[in-house]
Amino acid sequence: MPYTSELKKLIKIVEKTRPERVERKKRGEEFPAMSLSEREKILKYHPDFKEEGRSEIKVGPNKGYRIANEMVELLHAKSRVNPDLIHLSRIDYETDVLVIGGGGAGTAAALMAQKTGVKVLIATKLRHGDANTMMAEGGIQAATKNQKDSIYYHYLDALGGGHFRNDPDLVETLVTEAPKVMAWLENLGAMFTKFEDGRMKSLHGGGTSRKRMHYAGDITGAEIMRTIRDEARNYPNDIKVLEFSPAVELILNDQGACGGAVLYNLETEEYIVVKAKATVLATGGSGRLHIQEFMTTNHYGATGDGLIIAYRAGVPIKFLHTVQYHPTGAVFPEQAEGLLITEKFRGAGANVLNIDGEQFVYEREPRDVEAAAFIRECTVRGKGVPTPTGKFGVWLDSPMIDILNEKGTVRREFPGKWILFHRYGIDITQEPMLVYPTLHYQNGGLEINRKGETVVPGLIVGGEVSGGVHGENRLMGNSLLDVMVYGRIAGETAAAYARKQFKDGKLTLNHVKRYNKALQDSGIDLDGRVAPMILPDYSNPDVRKKQLTTDYTGTLR
Amino acid sequence: MGNRAVKPKKTVSKSKDSSEKRVPIFIMGKKYEVPESLTIQKALEYAGFQLIRGCGCRGGICGACGTVYRFPDSYRIEVGLACQTVVEPNMYITQIPFFPANKATYDLEKLEPTGSTVMALYPEIFKCVGCGTCTRSCPMDIDVMEYISLAIRGDIAGAAELSFDCVMCGLCTARCPAEEAQYNVGILTRRLYGRHIAPRAKHVAESVENIQKKRFDKGLKTLKSMNLESLKRLYNDREIEPDMADEFWEPEDKKYIIVQ
């Protein structure tokens, strides 16, 4: 849908203030960035700070910890399947390394494990590659421009962005492995955007002190994902893939180690037992829980399943009290609602503006600060731009980019977004985009060490499902990096474990029974809830009311 | 049984005003009335389908929801991604969530970026009859036939560039009379280009060497042992590369910069 005439009138105001803003930008005059204490003040407008949005976990290793209600509801839910019904002696698949999750981290893990000669089975909820990695747009951070940058600055930026709460060891590994990841991907033939001499182009992201965001057009994640997926498919005998088979429980053995997982075939509705010497959990994030009813940029399958099943197995969680809202999700047109508008637009020079066409925040604050500033502008200050569906947004002035650089820059650097808006009759080289914060990333997750190990031997975790490396707020470009770095490490650790440390034992689901019992004993009103969620429910309630003979377990028929 | 769904509160239908105009669409030939502003994907959910196949990123990049449709008084087959295409009255819709495709296996390292490499791995592309159906079937508006013919002619760089926006949904493959798997040819050319044709990023190799030779260990150790206050000060005062700086900008403070 093209802009309505009301919105077109408001765009005129943006056009009026644009020439002067462009001049200021050219002179290097930026809207003043906030100091650390100013940041602290504005963060009270961030959804994380809404006390009524959180509640206390009553069972398990993090009893007493307060996190988002939507996550607690899942932690306070019983297993999807009665563990007594699963025949653990009837093993359907046996493998050296089981990788749960077929996204960026899982696929990187599979490739690294395969290299050492072990057999890998990837089990994934949807198709191989259906993951948030595929949707990451802006880029991947790595300190590779040696005349101006080093891992020293990358470390400092990541820590400052994460409110200095990050696990220092995890950050150290992240930044140290980053250049190696870039070399690995370049070797695999990923088409990063380069200058003619082969230098990779790089940009700023929010909270970076050096331009170290490497990118492949505006589909960096898709380019990485399809490249490593293609590589995994080059080893069909070593890396097998089970699609549409999400894990619904981990299996432990009587040695206390992880021994595999129970999968659920979404099509035949069977439960499947996989026995593995080592298990990599790389199930990604949880945007589809729609915390505080926010729209999300996340993949259909991002329901936090890995958190739930690992927590039941005794793995503690960290930093889940913070959730990342990407400042710039589309709010217009309605069909594109929640879609990610990459931070790269701001890195390339686009201002953020209120209804009066005025700047109200420096456009490259860390994401939590930037999002909080948008929310304050649209709520308490009342300077948001109203949409036809009754929501509010702020302008992201994309036409500035062509003026600041050269005509054609937007089309060349943002081909994906250009075509998307073009389909709806909006030319983002001429008209600004209307944006509002959208649920984007699970900052926290399962506790790991720098080798990806958890408290459960043989259970190795990598990617968005883990927590610690980003502290309380992740910087742009550190998530693709996280999935690549810790996915690769998880694969190496798992392969080594399978070869050297694995001790066979009798498979058991006693931990699930214990968790179910703890829930029952806690007095929580379980209300028939089950978890993991597997898929969100977007069905029509009017239709459901008429499905008189249908039973649902959780969200699934 | 009968377990309550732990479900997100924001569903499609709730966000739809009941007064919104409905239009008829035909899902696999069967008629449903849906709000006119919905995408095909949301219309399927509104009609009561629970999507398992044919739904992925919901953002137009993963290629899970390739869809073909037709209108009653037109001979044309139209295509789109279900998550990106808004419904139109009387469209006859079916999704093609999967279509089998030949995928060659190879060791990229050992391949040469030439037309004969592509020919050896995907000989069927020479069966191309030039009908252009692939191009007309591409929901990303890629000139598929053109990148295939560039690949045949050995213009690997051209094919890589032209196929860059491919989401690998497989609609081209589903409709090709020559039985090609164009999207797999596309990724082969992109990987050949990225690995063997595009000039290497020397700065990446240099930064890897810096790390292997542990040239930053001291700097990181200093940072890791610093107390919070000094760390915050250091962070606040760190030199920021200006937005408009060019590629060769250099900071004033080079204590933690290592140029070989």
Side-chain angles (χ1 to χ4, degrees), chain B residues 3-31:
Chain B
N3 285 331
R4 187 175 75 78
V6 173
K7 71 187 242 180
K9 285 142 202 132
K10 195 185 147 128
T11 57
V12 171
S13 38
K14 270 192 202 158
S15 68
K16 279 288 120 196
D17 172 0
S18 57
S19 65
E20 191 181 331
K21 198 181 152 207
R22 303 281 195 276
V23 295
I25 60 166
F26 295 81
I27 300 170
M28 291 179 279
K30 194 156 172 231
K31 188 175 171 184

Side-chain angles (χ1 to χ4, degrees), chain A residues 157 169 187 230 267 364, chain B residues 53 106 195 224 238 243:
Chain A
D157 288 348
D169 286 346
N187 242 337
D230 187 70
E267 289 167 323
R364 288 196 297 100
Chain B
R53 292 240 177 211
Y106 43 81
R195 175 68 181 82
K224 283 181 78 181
R238 76 206 197 287
D243 268 15

